[in-house]
């Protein structure tokens, strides 16, 4: 008599706010907002009466203003000691920061920002359509930095939609699976590189960020990770229940799986969407307070002191939540004044 093969599912947990993560990741937020048509100021053409502006996270009517008061979003706020990876599936983000960079990105673009020794940035959600709704869906992922990289200069990178590969495969019945490869490599598809001081840029860290879209009933084998120490989480964030190995997992759950073995996935009746994060753990102490992530309490205290003293470079913009012109298009202007337009 032979024993059953061990399950690749190691842990299942409900998705809260933010989502539970494992080293080297710190935080995942999934924003989904059905914004209405925009007004002349690129804010919602709808009443804001009754909303706790500045702290509007309740999602009444299917959308929030977050910390914005005219345009939804997150006006200027500091970070130190980690990276933000912002992948926008729909809608747009207007970025401005304390080192002089600015951008409008969205519709499949990803911004990868190394906060390093300290940066202040603003992330606003301009509502560009005046005659129709402005749906927004994005993921913001925080990736930790090892101790020696927490003091590097900030770095701003754009991974444009046109440069980010999607691997599409079909199972034996012709049902498709599309994998958006934001970091890592899959079947020879490699996205633009992460910033130079990222943990993801180091050989052997095996960092990967993939968005997996399984059509109805589609079957796909998630390949084993390359690194022996790699940890992997599958976030089932939308769609019908999915089969992961020998378990059926409903949307709204995260699954820690054994990264050393291939994992069979089968999409639900109406399709399933999964965000996969993986990487080799950094394995260092993590002490965080709000926007600062260091290795000890002394480091956090120093971050607050440095921010009060220097403002991490000051704020060169006219408002704490600047937005760009409605017709600016997708662009990035880097601290060295280099301009990219898409």
């Amino acid at each position: 008599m032979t024993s059953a093969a061990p399950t690749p599912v190691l842990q299942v947990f409900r998705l809260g706010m933010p989502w539970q993560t494992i080293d080297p990741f710190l935080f995942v937020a999934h924003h989904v907002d059905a914004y209405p048509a925009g007004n002349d100021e690129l804010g919602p053409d709808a009443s804001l009466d009754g909303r706790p502006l500045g702290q509007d996270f309740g999602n009444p009517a299917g959308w929030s203003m977050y910390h914005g008061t005219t345009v939804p979003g997150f006006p200027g706020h500091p970070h130190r000691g980690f990276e933000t990876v912002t992948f926008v599936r729909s809608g747009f983000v207007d970025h401005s920061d304390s080192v002089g960079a600015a951008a409008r990105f969205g519709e499949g673009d990803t911004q990868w920002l190394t906060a390093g020794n300290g940066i202040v940035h603003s992330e606003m959600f301009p509502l560009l359509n005046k005659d129709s709704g402005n749906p927004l869906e994005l993921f913001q992922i925080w990736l930790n930095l090892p101790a020696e990289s927490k003091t590097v200069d900030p770095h701003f990178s754009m991974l444009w939609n046109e440069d980010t590969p999607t691997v599409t495969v079909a199972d034996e019945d012709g049902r498709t699976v599309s994998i958006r490869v934001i970091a890592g490599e899959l079947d020879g598809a490699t996205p633009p590189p992460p910033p130079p001081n990222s943990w993801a840029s180091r050989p052997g860290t095996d960092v990967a960020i993939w968005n997996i879209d399984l059509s109805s009933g589609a079957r796909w084998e998630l390949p084993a990770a390359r690194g022996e120490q790699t940890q992997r989480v599958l976030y089932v964030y939308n769609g019908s229940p999915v089969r992961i190995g020998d378990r059926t997992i409903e949307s709204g759950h995260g699954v820690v799986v054994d990264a050393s073995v291939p994992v069979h996935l089968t999409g639900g009746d109406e399709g399933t969407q999964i965000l996969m994060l993986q990487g080799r753990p950094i394995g260092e102490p993590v002490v965080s307070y709000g926007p600062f992530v260091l290795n000890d309490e002394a480091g956090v205290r120093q971050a607050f002191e440095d921010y009060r003293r220097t403002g991490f470079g000051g704020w060169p913009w006219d408002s704490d939540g600047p937005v760009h012109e409605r017709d600016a298009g997708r662009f990035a202007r880097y601290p060295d004044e280099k301009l990219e337009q898409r």
Side-chain angles (χ1 to χ4, degrees), residues 90 94 172 190 286 302:
S90 61
D94 276 3
E172 59 271 24
T190 303
V286 173
Q302 187 64 53

Side-chain angles (χ1 to χ4, degrees), residues 143-184:
L143 175 62
N144 200 10
L145 288 167
E148 65 267 26
S149 297
K150 289 184 181 293
T151 56
V152 300
D153 290 338
H155 188 92
F156 169 85
S157 294
M158 285 303 311
L159 284 59
W160 297 108
N161 173 54
E162 296 87 345
D163 303 327
T164 304
T166 297
V167 176
T168 301
V169 297
D171 65 17
E172 59 271 24
D173 296 316
R175 293 171 290 206
T176 59
V177 181
S178 294
I179 307 97
R180 186 71 160 171
V181 183
I182 299 162

Side-chain angles (χ1 to χ4, degrees), residues 44 48-49 73 83 114-115 121 123 132 136 142 157 165 167 169-170 175 186 195 212 247 249 300:
L48 300 180
D49 291 346
E83 299 184 287
T114 303
H121 73 154
E123 304 158 290
S132 61
L136 175 79
W142 290 11
S157 294
V167 176
V169 297
R175 293 171 290 206
L186 175 65
I212 303 166
R247 298 281 299 273
I249 307 296
V300 172

Side-chain angles (χ1 to χ4, degrees), residues 8 221-225 232 258-264:
E221 184 176 86
L222 175 66
R232 173 181 279 174
D258 183 349
S260 69
V261 298
V263 178
H264 294 281

Side-chain angles (χ1 to χ4, degrees), residues 78-95:
H79 291 305
R80 172 180 277 185
F82 63 98
E83 299 184 287
T84 62
V85 183
T86 307
F87 168 48
V88 185
R89 282 170 55 87
S90 61
F92 294 92
V93 176
D94 276 3
H95 167 92

Side-chain angles (χ1 to χ4, degrees), residues 167 181 183-191 206-210 223 226 278:
V167 176
V181 183
E185 184 271 340
L186 175 65
D187 292 348
T190 303
D206 206 18
V207 172
I209 303 172
W210 299 345
R226 295 178 176 181
Q278 73 168 41

Side-chain angles (χ1 to χ4, degrees), residues 193-219:
N197 289 298
S198 175
W199 183 245
S201 290
R202 298 192 177 200
T205 59
D206 206 18
V207 172
I209 303 172
W210 299 345
N211 190 75
I212 303 166
D213 191 340
L214 297 145
S215 65
S216 175
R219 295 184 295 274

Side-chain angles (χ1 to χ4, degrees), residues 33 43 95 117 205 222 228 254 256 315 319 329 337:
D33 291 278
H95 167 92
N117 201 38
T205 59
L222 175 66
E228 293 181 358
V256 180
W315 189 247
S319 74
E337 297 299 322

